[in-house]
Amino acid sequence: MNAEFLAITLLVGLGTWMLRYLPTRFMRGTGDPEAPLSRFLSATGPAAIVALFVGAILPMLSPDLQSVAPLLIGSAAVVALYFWRRDISIATVGGAIVYGFVFALM
């Protein structure tokens, strides 16, 4: 095992642990939603989802519209279904079905 890989893995693990432990340690009893730490923590969930989404779609991007069409239509279906039903599970499953259907047609 590479020493750099081990060091990065340990640092990422430590950072993840700190993001989970420190807020519970320092925010006991405060409950103020306008506190800077509360606002930071409420933003980390959406930021993590966007980071995972971008990391997942980057390898799929290409200038060929035919290869990108399932991704674009599936993503649009997720957004449309979410705004229609306000349910993330229905939007996710529906977007996956639309993506698969468009992929099969291409």
Side-chain angles (χ1 to χ4, degrees):
M1 183 180 302
N2 190 342
E4 291 174 359
F5 177 75
L6 181 62
I8 289 173
T9 303
L10 290 173
L11 286 173
V12 168
L14 179 64
T16 302
W17 177 79
M18 287 173 55
L19 278 175
R20 296 179 192 284
Y21 172 74
L22 292 178
T24 59
R25 177 78 174 144
F26 293 119
M27 291 184 57
R28 288 187 185 166
T30 61
D32 181 15
E34 294 301 317
L37 188 56
S38 293
R39 292 180 35 215
F40 168 75
L41 291 173
S42 66
T44 56
I49 292 169
V50 170
L52 289 170
F53 178 72
V54 169
I57 67 166
L58 277 178
M60 297 180 191
L61 295 179
S62 75
D64 181 26
L65 184 60
Q66 221 173 12
S67 65
V68 180
L71 174 65
L72 295 176
I73 296 171
S75 298
V78 169
V79 172
L81 285 169
Y82 178 76
F83 282 123
W84 177 52
R85 298 296 301 209
R86 294 287 184 202
D87 186 353
I88 195 64
S89 59
I90 291 173
T92 303
V93 171
I97 291 169
V98 169
Y99 175 89
F101 183 71
V102 173
F103 185 80
L105 288 177
M106 296 290 177

